[in-house]
Amino acid sequence: MKTIKIGLLGLGNIGTGSYKTLEMNRDEIEKSSGLDLRITKILEKDTKRKRDVTVSPEQFTQTPSEIFNDPEIKIVIELLGGIEPAATYMEEAMKHGKSVVTANKASVAANFDRLTKAAKENNVMFRYEASVGGGIPILNAITTVLKANKYEEVLGILNGTTNYILTQMTDYGLEYDDVLKIAQEKGFAEADPTADVEGIDCANKLSILMALTFGNYVPPTEIPREGISGITKQNIKNAKAKGCKIKLISSAKKVGDHIEYSVKPMELPDSHPLASVSNEFNAIFIKGNAVGELMFYGKGAGPLPTGSAIMGDVLEIAKIYGAHE
């Protein structure tokens, strides 16, 4: 059985989830691929923290070049978060002939052209399925089985924190501030929820979706954006009276020869497929000129759902390497 060695940048929650996904499904992965996938080096400062996986001390390094310069490592998984140094590390890995997998929507969205160009120039693969929708396989669908379509519209509930808050406000008549506090206590919202509640996270994901569906890269900072912090109980009540629910919607639509796009709260009729998506779940609604309307639904975050998408990307790359070695 061929062994494919992997370098991992970051062993936080998502890194641990990815590591665990590989270990708990190792038998199935080996049986289906005929490959032995091994995470041999891990860039991580906190080597003492208790994690739900078994990692040997010799796997850890605090020197990125140890991973980039290792000729046996074929794939690098970047899970550091943040725009930098993540983008520079991904580019550096590609320059050393390694394919890259990431879940880092902020870095991919801010550096989409740079990173896709680096992959092409260095003849390596760059995969980022987990950057949009966590475990939902939306990017793979867009770029493979749906590729024969001209895309007309993309609508998404792309952030579990905001969807949880709006669902609780709708179902229980709670105030925004009260629900935010509950969401933070349950771990659905960060201590600083700005990126989520002000639509920054959604803008990153919409930027990536637009680049793949319409071939039109728009930096996330240029996407018109409005969050949910101004939504009141009265807004929710008014929407209900019209048979609607308020959702934070990431939207891109082909209008003539240009694309209209935004992230903002919208009133959706109760009959719309996205209106029934509740709490921390995500969904992406796509319209193609051949396939018609489709909706992808599932857990948009979390260590294991995200780890599932990451290891799916890793496995696809590994199969290609395995077939050519």
Side-chain angles (χ1 to χ4, degrees):
M1 185 177 290
K2 291 179 182 175
T3 298
I4 304 291
K5 293 187 177 179
I6 300 161
L8 175 60
L9 309 182
L11 194 62
N13 287 338
I14 302 303
T16 301
S18 301
Y19 197 103
K20 189 174 182 179
T21 298
L22 174 58
E23 292 308 310
M24 72 183 189
N25 294 329
R26 176 166 293 284
D27 289 346
E28 288 80 2
I29 290 169
E30 289 182 358
K31 194 183 295 182
S32 67
S33 68
L35 298 170
D36 176 18
L37 305 186
R38 293 280 163 186
I39 296 174
T40 55
K41 282 200 175 88
I42 302 169
L43 180 71
E44 176 58 55
K45 287 180 183 176
D46 186 359
T47 60
K48 303 297 183 185
R49 181 162 73 90
K50 283 192 175 181
R51 297 175 174 91
D52 193 20
V53 291
T54 304
V55 181
S56 61
E58 54 269 22
Q59 283 175 271
F60 286 115
T61 180
Q62 295 186 3
T63 309
S65 59
E66 275 191 36
I67 292 175
F68 304 147
N69 293 327
D70 187 335
E72 293 191 346
I73 290 176
K74 301 296 184 186
I75 302 168
V76 169
I77 306 171
E78 183 282 309
L79 298 173
L80 296 170
I83 295 173
E84 287 292 356
T88 297
Y89 285 174
M90 286 190 275
E91 190 174 34
E92 195 64 23
M94 292 180 203
K95 285 178 180 175
H96 283 79
K98 302 179 193 317
S99 291
V100 170
V101 173
T102 185
N104 191 336
K105 64 258 181 182
S107 196
V108 173
N111 298 281
F112 188 84
D113 287 344
R114 170 188 171 190
L115 293 171
T116 51
K117 182 183 176 188
K120 194 171 183 180
E121 286 179 348
N122 294 285
N123 197 29
V124 295
M125 287 163 277
F126 177 44
R127 299 274 189 129
Y128 40 94
E129 178 64 66
S131 67
V132 178
I136 304 170
I138 182 64
L139 303 188
N140 186 55
I142 285 170
T143 55
T144 58
V145 292
L146 298 177
K147 192 67 176 171
N149 282 262
K150 284 183 182 177
Y151 295 104
E152 298 172 358
E153 185 177 19
V154 178
L155 293 175
I157 294 174
L158 300 178
N159 182 272
T161 299
T162 51
N163 202 47
Y164 176 83
I165 292 170
L166 290 173
T167 300
Q168 295 297 304
M169 290 177 72
T170 301
D171 291 355
Y172 301 107
L174 303 174
E175 294 282 5
Y176 168 83
D177 288 336
D178 295 333
V179 184
L180 175 58
K181 199 172 179 182
I182 295 167
Q184 288 170 324
E185 288 169 359
K186 287 180 175 286
F188 292 145
E190 301 287 344
D192 178 3
T194 305
D196 292 323
V197 301
E198 298 304 337
I200 297 167
D201 177 71
C202 286
N204 286 328
K205 294 170 180 175
L206 183 60
S207 173
I208 296 166
L209 280 171
M210 287 169 58
L212 296 182
T213 50
F214 298 112
N216 184 35
Y217 170 62
V218 178
T221 51
E222 294 178 17
I223 295 175
R225 175 174 53 80
E226 180 188 340
I228 67 163
S229 56
I231 299 293
T232 65
K233 273 193 348 182
Q234 191 60 47
N235 296 141
I236 299 284
K237 192 175 177 182
N238 293 344
K240 272 187 176 180
K242 292 184 263 183
C244 295
K245 288 178 183 170
I246 296 177
K247 297 289 186 183
L248 183 63
I249 298 294
S250 304
S251 167
K253 187 174 184 178
K254 191 93 170 171
V255 179
D257 58 357
H258 71 284
I259 300 160
E260 293 181 354
Y261 47 85
S262 67
V263 173
K264 63 183 179 183
M266 292 173 62
E267 291 184 354
L268 295 181
D270 288 339
S271 58
H272 194 287
L274 289 176
S276 61
V277 178
S278 298
N279 292 315
E280 68 271 27
F281 281 82
N282 282 195
I284 300 104
F285 176 88
I286 289 183
K287 191 174 180 182
N289 70 335
V291 76
E293 297 177 349
L294 294 172
M295 192 170 87
F296 297 77
Y297 168 87
K299 290 187 177 179
L304 288 178
T306 306
S308 167
I310 289 161
M311 293 316 301
D313 276 347
V314 168
L315 186 53
E316 285 303 301
I317 293 171
K319 282 180 180 177
I320 293 168
Y321 282 141
H324 288 87
E325 285 186 359

